Amino acid sequence: MPDRKPRKDAARNRAAVFAAADTLFAQCRSPEDVTMADIAAAAGVGKGTLFRAFGDRTGLIRALCEARLEPIRNAIEEGVPPLGPATPPLERVPALLDAVLCFKIDNRHLALALEGAGAGSPYAAEHYEHWHALLQGLLEQIPDRAEAGSGFTAHALLAATRADLVAYLAGEKDVPREELRDQLANFTAAVLGAGPRRGPAAEG
């Protein structure tokens, strides 16, 4: 089995690169400050290793985000309620948005890097199209929503979880995590015209 060691080395390098990138993005003032050279040095690998494995900085960011999002994707695809496929759409939509929000709060600089990576419109990015299609499909299953512009509604709901907005509110404005979750849940409930609300704002 001559290729076992190279595979182990590649897996070890990948884990080191992801850990280094996580740390650098978490500590940076702006995602633009983190370069491939910085990540390679922090991971203890050659810069060429990064380019061979990920193609470019955008490819690395996307791969890292996919790895960090894997638990959420698994919960959505085969998990139990409220994220799993057996959940009624009116419950699943707010749960999905809450999961996206929490991910972006906890990984705000990485999320900013992803949304700013590459060229062209961020709304044409593969990761955005995935979330939009999922939300639109759920909205179309809700009575009275199928004919109410589900595509636009999905865009509007996702806009409330944009990384730049989350970073501004959680970072610059120092809005507490639970307050952000409450506000998103209440906004989602208002858009859907149904469903439970949460937090102090729901009581007023």
Side-chain angles (χ1 to χ4, degrees), residues 42-62:
V45 301
K47 191 162 67 169
T49 299
L50 295 192
F51 285 102
R52 285 192 296 274
F54 303 103
D56 56 18
R57 182 177 179 274
T58 298
L60 190 157
I61 292 169
R62 287 174 179 159

Side-chain angles (χ1 to χ4, degrees), residues 80-163:
V80 299
L83 283 176
T87 312
L90 271 177
E91 299 173 27
R92 199 176 183 205
V93 167
L96 188 150
L97 290 165
D98 182 65
V100 172
L101 174 67
C102 289
F103 174 82
K104 291 187 178 181
I105 292 173
D106 295 337
N107 302 273
R108 69 189 68 162
H109 284 165
L110 177 59
L112 279 171
L114 176 64
E115 291 185 5
S121 170
Y123 302 105
E126 182 179 353
H127 68 91
Y128 183 86
E129 290 181 338
H130 169 82
W131 293 114
H132 181 267
L134 178 58
L135 267 179
Q136 182 174 356
L138 290 173
L139 291 169
E140 288 173 350
Q141 298 174 37
I142 299 174
D144 302 324
R145 295 300 317 179
E147 304 300 325
S150 56
F152 178 83
T153 302
H155 282 304
L157 290 170
L158 285 172
T161 70
R162 275 186 57 91

Side-chain angles (χ1 to χ4, degrees), residues 4-105:
R4 177 172 291 179
K5 187 174 186 299
R7 282 205 303 268
K8 287 183 178 179
D9 287 346
R12 190 182 306 115
N13 286 343
R14 189 178 183 87
V17 167
F18 281 177
D22 270 335
T23 299
L24 289 171
F25 279 119
Q27 295 175 347
C28 70
R29 295 186 62 184
S30 167
E32 313 299 328
D33 296 338
V34 181
T35 67
M36 291 286 268
D38 295 331
I39 295 170
V45 301
K47 191 162 67 169
T49 299
L50 295 192
F51 285 102
R52 285 192 296 274
F54 303 103
D56 56 18
R57 182 177 179 274
T58 298
L60 190 157
I61 292 169
R62 287 174 179 159
L64 176 55
C65 276
E66 285 298 314
R68 299 300 176 250
L69 279 167
E70 185 174 0
I72 297 176
R73 287 187 183 272
N74 289 341
I76 290 170
E77 291 171 5
E78 54 192 36
V80 299
L83 283 176
T87 312
L90 271 177
E91 299 173 27
R92 199 176 183 205
V93 167
L96 188 150
L97 290 165
D98 182 65
V100 172
L101 174 67
C102 289
F103 174 82
K104 291 187 178 181
I105 292 173

